[in-house]
Amino acid sequence: MGSRIKKLLQNSLGIIIGSVFLFLTLRKKSMTPIWESLANADYFFIILSFVCLFVIFYLRALRWKLIIEESGEKPKSDKVLTSILLGYFVNSFTPKFGEIIRCTSLQKTANVPVSVSMGSVMAERAYDLLILGIGVFAIFWVELDRLQSIIDSTLGGISHIYGYRYLYVIPFALVVLFILFLISLRRLKKSERRPIKKIVEFLQSMFLSLKQGLLLKKRFHFIVLTILIWAMLITLNYIYLLCLPETSSYSISFAIVVLFIGGIGWALPSPGGIGTTHFLLLQLFVAFQLDPNAGISFGILSNGLTFIGTIVIGGYGYFRYWVETRTLAKSEKNK
């Protein structure tokens, strides 16, 4: 019951964060030119974006499988793909709950322990956050004069939710919670109670998987897949720019800026990056002295196409998972 309440609170907080940023993006804006821009979108590039999105999911599945294999597990590629599609499908409606779903689903279809897959997901996210952080730092280093306004606007938007005084408390609170967690874990290790032992074993297995995922043996394969994933993400954002007449003339270098600045919005706890990405993309267009309406149109189109594409492709993953679990249930019943 407690876990359900916690999930409900997390989902509610994510929706509130997304709603606030969406309000800040659309307030005092005329929607007529924005809808006209979206009505003129190029359908060829819209369809091409869905193809590109599926390729990204497939590459992510191959990379996740590679990390899982560091722990000695050997899941089939199609099972990993099904789980990752299902996870992204759930992430479209909840703030990052899909990461848990893809781990539990992989346990059911490929017998990979949740602790192992959870540790591998943490390793995967750590690498992606590192690349995102490097990319954001590099872009701000080059374009600091233009992008300073984004920092001020984003902090102002967050302050509507938390208040400025809480912004400085969050990093300190996270460090304190992590230290308390480590202290508690050391004490729990000495406990002889079976439920507590199970929890400790789960955490130890998860952190071992995380460690193995970070200290990769197949580094070359991992680096190649990671480069391909981020190259396809840049391509996807460039395709989104080509969809609209107002942004079709923008360069691929601007698509790189869009990817990393918009990526901050996806990293925030909002379902599907709704609101947060729209807000940051609007600030980006303003910072580069581009048409604000084009920024809103692009934000709605890129986020909307990603959302729809994830729902459609993720729905296919959900169907695959349903078929696989029914097949497994029948085979176990016939034994």
Side-chain angles (χ1 to χ4, degrees):
M1 186 71 178
S3 62
R4 289 182 180 179
I5 294 174
K6 184 180 178 181
K7 291 172 188 174
L8 179 62
L9 290 174
Q10 288 175 339
N11 292 340
S12 300
L13 178 61
I15 292 170
I16 291 171
I17 291 173
S19 300
V20 169
F21 275 102
L22 195 61
F23 168 75
L24 293 172
T25 303
L26 299 178
R27 65 176 178 173
K28 299 179 181 179
K29 301 288 192 308
S30 174
M31 296 302 293
T32 302
I34 294 168
W35 296 134
E36 289 177 354
S37 174
L38 293 172
N40 293 321
D42 192 317
Y43 287 96
F44 170 76
F45 289 112
I46 288 175
I47 295 171
L48 188 61
S49 71
F50 293 151
V51 175
C52 186
L53 190 62
F54 179 80
V55 173
I56 291 169
F57 287 145
Y58 183 72
L59 291 171
R60 285 193 177 280
L62 292 179
R63 190 180 64 167
W64 188 33
K65 180 177 181 290
L66 191 70
I67 299 175
I68 292 172
E69 288 176 345
E70 293 290 324
S71 301
E73 300 292 336
K74 301 292 182 182
K76 293 182 179 179
S77 297
D78 61 327
K79 307 293 185 187
V80 178
L81 177 61
T82 298
S83 293
I84 209 164
L85 291 179
L86 183 61
Y88 276 96
F89 178 79
V90 174
N91 271 347
S92 299
F93 303 100
T94 63
K96 314 309 177 188
F97 184 59
E99 314 299 359
I100 298 172
I101 295 297
R102 66 157 148 158
C103 293
T104 54
S105 64
L106 193 62
Q107 182 188 38
K108 290 181 180 179
T109 58
N111 292 320
V112 176
V114 173
S115 57
V116 171
S117 55
M118 190 67 72
S120 66
V121 168
M122 291 171 65
E124 182 190 31
R125 288 297 179 224
Y127 281 114
D128 279 339
L129 283 174
L130 176 63
I131 295 171
L132 177 63
I134 292 172
V136 170
F137 177 80
I139 289 169
F140 271 94
W141 180 270
V142 175
E143 300 283 358
L144 183 60
D145 292 338
R146 286 179 172 178
L147 300 180
Q148 180 64 46
S149 61
I150 293 183
I151 300 174
D152 299 334
S153 300
T154 304
L155 289 177
I158 294 174
S159 71
H160 280 269
I161 305 170
Y162 299 108
Y164 276 115
R165 57 181 177 176
Y166 296 110
L167 293 176
Y168 306 102
V169 176
I170 291 173
F172 176 75
L174 290 174
V175 172
V176 171
L177 287 173
F178 182 69
I179 293 171
L180 290 174
F181 172 76
L182 292 178
I183 294 172
S184 301
L185 187 60
R186 290 186 64 182
R187 290 184 178 180
L188 288 173
K189 285 181 180 179
K190 300 176 182 178
S191 176
E192 295 298 325
R193 294 181 180 178
R194 185 171 177 80
I196 294 178
K197 274 185 155 186
K198 288 285 185 183
I199 294 172
V200 171
E201 288 172 2
F202 177 88
L203 291 173
Q204 287 177 329
S205 177
M206 183 178 72
F207 283 119
L208 177 61
S209 176
L210 171 61
K211 179 182 176 182
Q212 291 168 332
L214 292 173
L215 303 174
L216 289 164
K217 295 176 183 176
K218 298 180 180 179
R219 291 189 185 91
F220 177 76
H221 295 84
F222 179 85
I223 291 170
V224 169
L225 285 171
T226 300
I227 291 173
L228 287 173
I229 288 167
W230 284 88
M232 289 303 297
L233 286 169
I234 293 170
T235 303
L236 179 64
N237 279 273
Y238 185 56
I239 291 171
Y240 287 152
L241 288 172
L242 293 174
C243 285
L244 295 175
E246 295 85 352
T247 59
S248 60
S249 60
Y250 296 172
S251 65
I252 195 166
S253 60
F254 186 70
I256 296 173
V257 176
V258 165
L259 169 63
F260 285 101
I261 300 303
I264 300 172
W266 284 98
L268 294 172
S270 172
I274 295 173
T276 51
T277 52
H278 296 84
F279 178 82
L280 285 166
L281 289 173
L282 172 61
Q283 304 309 314
L284 177 63
F285 273 66
V286 172
F288 275 75
Q289 296 181 341
L290 301 171
D291 183 6
N293 286 333
I296 296 175
S297 299
F298 176 78
I300 293 173
L301 179 123
S302 59
N303 188 275
L305 289 181
T306 302
F307 179 79
I308 294 169
T310 302
I311 294 300
V312 173
I313 300 170
Y316 165 69
Y318 179 81
F319 174 74
R320 284 172 58 111
Y321 175 71
W322 179 77
V323 172
E324 288 171 7
T325 50
R326 281 181 64 87
T327 303
L328 285 171
K330 285 181 180 180
S331 62
E332 288 178 3
K333 189 177 180 180
N334 293 331
K335 285 182 180 179

